[in-house]
Amino acid sequence: MFSISFVANETGISAAALRKWEQRYGFPKPQRRGAIRYYNHQQLSMLIEIKRLLNQGVKISKILANPEQITDSIFLSSIAEKNRLITTGLSYLQNSQPDLLTVWLKQQADILGMSAFIDEIVSPLTTLIGKKWAAGQLPIFSEHIYTVKLLAVL
């Protein structure tokens, strides 16, 4: 369970906005211990996706118009988006654009928050880079460049 301050920090959504959405749209519905709100992992993941949609210009009223219908199916497009993001990061590395890789990594960390950035970008990208290297499709120095750039962001 995550506190409202943790969720706000990880998602980039203010605690005031989370409270307002709960009041106005009935989402998210945190568990409470007295006046303190606690959010579960699924809610945190959904709020990260909501923040991504907001950053793309989708209005919160459209996203949360039917809070009882919020399911993973609403965010199916996010899977394709995440795959596109991972491919983008890999392409900067493959095309010898380390400065663009650094900028891109910083942007993703800022947009997603550190926890989601590690889960959704760093982990799959690192795995993909390792597989490409093992298959002889990526030189070892590219993996080293990625490591240096990632450490600079972390």
Side-chain angles (χ1 to χ4, degrees), residues 86 89-90 101 104-105 121-130 146:
I86 299 306
L90 180 63
L101 177 63
W104 178 81
L105 287 168
I121 300 294
V122 174
S123 181
L125 182 57
T126 303
T127 300
L128 182 59
I129 289 169
Y146 169 69

Side-chain angles (χ1 to χ4, degrees), residues 1 22 28-32 37-40 43:
M1 300 300 285
E22 180 185 354
K29 280 206 181 259
Q31 291 183 9
R32 291 177 181 258
R37 292 170 168 86
Y38 290 97
Y39 300 84
N40 63 35
Q43 289 169 321

Side-chain angles (χ1 to χ4, degrees), residues 78-107:
S78 71
I79 294 169
E81 173 67 13
K82 287 175 188 171
N83 289 336
R84 186 191 65 74
L85 284 172
I86 299 306
T87 303
T88 299
L90 180 63
S91 71
Y92 291 138
L93 195 59
Q94 290 174 320
N95 295 321
S96 299
Q97 298 173 309
D99 293 337
L100 289 177
L101 177 63
T102 302
V103 169
W104 178 81
L105 287 168
K106 286 180 182 177
Q107 287 174 338

Side-chain angles (χ1 to χ4, degrees), residues 5-148:
S5 60
F6 178 85
V7 170
N9 187 49
E10 287 297 306
T11 63
I13 302 168
S14 72
L18 292 168
R19 288 186 207 99
K20 183 55 93 176
W21 295 352
E22 180 185 354
Q23 177 186 23
R24 185 175 290 164
Y25 302 106
F27 181 85
K29 280 206 181 259
Q31 291 183 9
R32 291 177 181 258
R33 291 187 194 138
I36 301 173
R37 292 170 168 86
Y38 290 97
Y39 300 84
N40 63 35
H41 188 269
Q42 182 181 12
Q43 289 169 321
L44 177 62
S45 296
M46 292 176 79
L47 288 165
I48 289 167
E49 293 300 332
I50 287 170
K51 177 64 173 175
R52 187 185 63 75
L53 291 170
L54 290 170
N55 288 342
Q56 291 179 351
V58 181
K59 294 189 180 294
I60 192 64
S61 59
K62 182 175 180 185
I63 297 169
L64 297 179
N66 296 307
E68 67 278 354
Q69 294 178 5
I70 293 178
T71 64
D72 292 339
S73 65
I74 292 174
F75 304 110
L76 283 177
S77 64
S78 71
I79 294 169
E81 173 67 13
K82 287 175 188 171
N83 289 336
R84 186 191 65 74
L85 284 172
I86 299 306
T87 303
T88 299
L90 180 63
S91 71
Y92 291 138
L93 195 59
Q94 290 174 320
N95 295 321
S96 299
Q97 298 173 309
D99 293 337
L100 289 177
L101 177 63
T102 302
V103 169
W104 178 81
L105 287 168
K106 286 180 182 177
Q107 287 174 338
Q108 297 311 307
D110 289 344
I111 291 168
L112 296 171
M114 196 52 69
S115 179
F117 170 65
I118 291 169
D119 288 344
E120 298 178 25
I121 300 294
V122 174
S123 181
L125 182 57
T126 303
T127 300
L128 182 59
I129 289 169
K131 287 180 180 179
K132 293 279 185 186
W133 174 79
Q137 299 171 342
L138 197 64
I140 191 70
F141 72 85
S142 292
E143 185 277 334
H144 290 222
I145 289 169
Y146 169 69
T147 301
V148 168

